[in-house]
Amino acid sequence: IYELLKQYETIGKRKMNVEEIKEMLDIKDKYSLYANLKQRVIIKAQMDLEAFTDIKFTFEEIKRGKSVEEIVFYIFKNADVIDK
């Protein structure tokens, strides 16, 4: 996740399809439920990046009907880690 978001740090956001994320992370056979992907991968990455790296992010889910199809990541500099 860090590498995928770091590429777009200067732009400030990145929009990705959920299936595209799974493919890039090589986990397309895992996490058939979006809720599991969100909890175990996206939220975990969000906490880890904020604690240990120079970037942090928030995200917005874009739904088609009831299912989440895309995620927009909003990328920010992490001043807390940079200062340390």
Side-chain angles (χ1 to χ4, degrees), residues 17-70:
N17 185 295
V18 172
E19 293 303 317
E20 181 182 13
I21 294 169
K22 286 181 179 182
E23 190 171 315
M24 288 181 168
L25 298 176
D26 198 27
I27 55 171
K28 63 181 176 176
D29 296 336
K30 300 179 182 179
Y31 308 116
S32 59
L33 292 175
Y34 171 74
N36 292 339
L37 175 73
K38 179 180 175 181
Q39 189 65 41
R40 295 189 180 131
V41 177
I42 298 172
I43 302 275
K44 176 73 170 128
Q46 187 177 33
M47 292 187 305
D48 289 348
L49 290 183
E50 187 166 347
F52 302 114
T53 69
D54 61 334
I55 62 172
K56 57 185 175 180
F57 70 91
T58 59
F59 63 97
E60 175 185 355
E61 301 166 336
I62 299 175
K63 296 183 177 185
R64 304 271 188 267
K66 290 185 177 184
S67 64
V68 176
E69 292 287 321
E70 296 178 316

Side-chain angles (χ1 to χ4, degrees), residues 1 9 11 14-15 34 47 53-54 58 62 74 76:
I1 296 271
E9 181 182 12
I11 297 170
R14 182 169 190 177
K15 184 178 185 179
Y34 171 74
M47 292 187 305
T53 69
D54 61 334
T58 59
I62 299 175
Y74 297 99
F76 308 98

